[in-house]
Amino acid sequence: MLPEPERDAAAADLIRWVDGKVDLLRVLDRIPGPWIGTLADTVLGILAEALRRGAAAEPAGGAGGPHSDTARFLAQLCRLADERLTPHIAPRLDELSRRHPGCWPLTELTETLRFRHDMVRELVQREPT
């Protein structure tokens, strides 16, 4: 196991080399959370690219229909991200959600992380000084 400061960058480098959706999900499933820093940025980039490809495949701006490979990949990626992404990424997910309003896995991920982000912020504000 790598020291914590090196772990996120090494994991981000690893997933950049993974070829194929199935292998990417398998590798991500084995990377413990929280996903922060470079790793969070990389996962967000993968999510944005998958959304872009899904929207390009479907003129209405969706993710290729609810039963397409892209839609299944997005649902699985969002499920993993929901469990592991840092809540501090929520503001960046808001923009993706606005651009892809019909993608329910992304909407659920964004709402969950926004709730966690707000909860953490509230807890920090309540801490006695």
Side-chain angles (χ1 to χ4, degrees):
M1 175 80 57
L2 289 172
E4 195 167 326
E6 298 173 29
R7 201 173 308 153
D8 291 322
D13 287 341
L14 174 65
I15 64 173
R16 285 187 198 109
W17 285 96
V18 174
D19 189 30
K21 295 174 186 175
V22 172
D23 290 336
L24 177 62
L25 291 170
R26 189 174 296 128
V27 170
L28 285 172
D29 190 43
R30 286 162 177 78
I31 299 173
W35 295 344
I36 59 173
T38 306
L39 179 56
D41 293 342
T42 302
V43 170
L44 195 60
I46 291 167
L47 181 59
E49 178 63 18
L51 287 162
R52 186 190 66 73
R53 286 184 181 181
E58 178 149 326
H67 303 295
S68 72
D69 286 342
T70 300
R72 280 190 295 275
F73 172 71
L74 283 168
Q76 292 171 321
L77 180 59
C78 286
R79 181 189 54 80
L80 285 169
D82 179 274
E83 297 170 357
R84 295 178 174 100
L85 263 178
T86 177
H88 301 295
I89 204 106
R92 292 173 58 194
L93 280 171
D94 283 331
E95 177 58 31
L96 275 179
S97 287
R98 278 191 289 279
R99 286 189 274 152
H100 302 277
C103 183
W104 65 264
L106 176 63
T107 301
E108 287 185 7
L109 171 63
T110 303
E111 289 173 359
T112 299
L113 291 182
R114 186 181 319 115
F115 172 77
R116 291 178 187 155
H117 179 264
D118 293 346
M119 185 173 54
V120 167
R121 189 176 56 216
E122 185 177 323
L123 290 171
V124 168
Q125 290 173 351
R126 288 185 179 184
E127 283 185 4
T129 53

